[in-house]
Amino acid sequence: MSGYAMESATPAEIGTQALPPSDQWSTAPVVPAPVCRFENFLGAERAATLLSYATSREADFYAGTVLDPLSGQVSHKGRSSLVLPVTSSVFSAHLADCLPLVQEVLGHRAALTQTLTVLTSHGEGGHYGIHTDASRVRDVGTALSAVYYLHRKPRGFGGGQLRLYDTLLADGGARPAESYRTIEPEHDTIVFFPAGAFHEVVPSTCPSGHFADHRFTLTTWISGTGAAATVPDDPFRIWPWLAHAAERTRPLADVEHDHDGASPIALPAADPATRLTLPAPRRTP
């Protein structure tokens, strides 16, 4: 027991001398981009087989590119990674089965009908500066980006985290905020987020220099037709704001071919027997 006498507390008034009044609000909301992440996405056996396939195709990878939205010119500015366009019916089936749940979590209601996929490899100094995926899809306001991670165990690289930036809503517009969330590139995990969200891949290290020790991903852009819609009780309606923020990164003219050489394939329908759904909430008696 304390030896000090107890006295009743009196609240102190913070007046205008300590905190001057203001004639207008100066705050602007910063809204995080919605994100959905799955662990053990393909399972140990399929993930190991896919990693083996990626490392066996070392000679076929080439430098990834960036498309300038104003000039339409392709370059390597702000990006250092290797890519290999791929398609996979097995991977597409997994995507199709989880997308209804992903859309429910992200508050997204547009129809999704096709995918565009590349294998990527990041070694020593690999990175991808702040960007959106507007150059990959026709309508950035309705498309999703998905990044599936693969790597050796123990991990042979360092860094390579995904930074997913928040969106600052101010002055009737939107732009990437300074704040972000960091997503670790864990083996056999996949992360989904709006294609209009600003994001980057921070530089990676690879002490051994071996290709098999690189950070690998299957990066997929999922698009379709129809306008994006939000969950009815979502107060921010973040999808239109994300599209607005990404406007300057969208190509001025329609791009006929993906700048990394990927080809779109149709997204299959979800299998009712394996489709993922949210578990029913527990009810207390």
Side-chain angles (χ1 to χ4, degrees):
M1 183 173 179
S2 172
Y4 294 97
M6 300 296 292
E7 297 182 1
S8 59
T10 302
E13 171 67 23
I14 303 177
T16 57
Q17 291 184 345
L19 190 65
S22 175
D23 58 358
Q24 64 180 5
W25 294 104
S26 59
T27 55
V30 174
V31 184
V35 60
C36 182
R37 178 177 175 272
F38 293 94
E39 298 178 349
N40 307 312
F41 184 66
L42 292 183
E45 184 178 358
R46 282 178 171 167
T49 301
L50 182 55
L51 179 59
S52 178
Y53 172 83
T55 56
S56 73
R57 297 291 301 273
E58 177 179 2
D60 299 318
F61 280 78
Y62 49 85
T65 58
V66 173
L67 179 65
D68 186 282
L70 297 179
S71 67
Q73 296 296 311
V74 175
S75 71
H76 303 289
K77 183 179 180 181
R79 182 181 186 186
S80 177
S81 61
L82 300 175
V83 299
L84 176 65
V86 294
T87 61
S88 169
S89 59
V90 174
F91 188 72
S92 293
H94 273 68
L95 289 176
D97 282 349
C98 73
L99 276 175
L101 176 55
V102 170
Q103 290 185 277
E104 185 173 354
V105 171
L106 299 186
H108 181 264
R109 293 294 181 269
L112 299 171
T113 59
Q114 69 176 29
T115 62
L116 195 73
T117 304
V118 296
L119 261 172
T120 71
S121 169
H122 286 72
E124 183 67 33
H127 66 279
Y128 200 155
I130 300 176
H131 65 287
T132 76
D133 291 331
S135 66
R136 307 287 188 170
V137 295
R138 184 175 297 274
D139 184 359
V140 71
T142 63
L144 290 176
S145 296
V147 184
Y148 173 73
Y149 295 102
L150 291 161
H151 62 75
R152 266 184 174 181
K153 291 185 177 181
R155 190 185 297 185
F157 67 90
Q161 293 88 354
L162 173 68
R163 286 181 178 175
L164 187 61
Y165 283 82
D166 299 335
T167 299
L168 176 67
L169 312 181
D171 303 323
R175 62 179 185 271
E178 295 182 359
S179 55
Y180 55 81
R181 279 173 291 173
T182 299
I183 298 169
E184 286 289 335
E186 297 291 349
H187 180 69
D188 197 23
T189 65
I190 189 169
V191 59
F192 295 84
F193 54 91
F198 280 84
H199 57 285
E200 71 172 318
V201 179
V202 304
S204 59
T205 61
C206 185
S208 74
H210 297 153
F211 186 72
D213 284 329
H214 282 198
R215 167 196 181 273
F216 294 96
T217 72
L218 269 180
T219 302
T220 302
W221 301 277
I222 311 166
S223 58
T225 58
T230 54
V231 174
D233 59 354
D234 179 3
F236 285 108
R237 297 165 53 87
I238 185 60
W239 282 86
W241 286 106
L242 288 170
H244 191 285
E247 184 68 31
R248 294 182 180 179
T249 71
R250 184 164 55 194
L252 296 179
D254 287 340
V255 179
E256 295 184 2
H257 304 286
D258 178 70
H259 51 88
D260 279 335
S263 299
I265 64 170
L267 184 69
D271 185 338
T274 54
R275 169 177 165 167
L276 296 182
T277 58
L278 284 174
R282 290 184 177 180
R283 298 184 179 274
T284 55

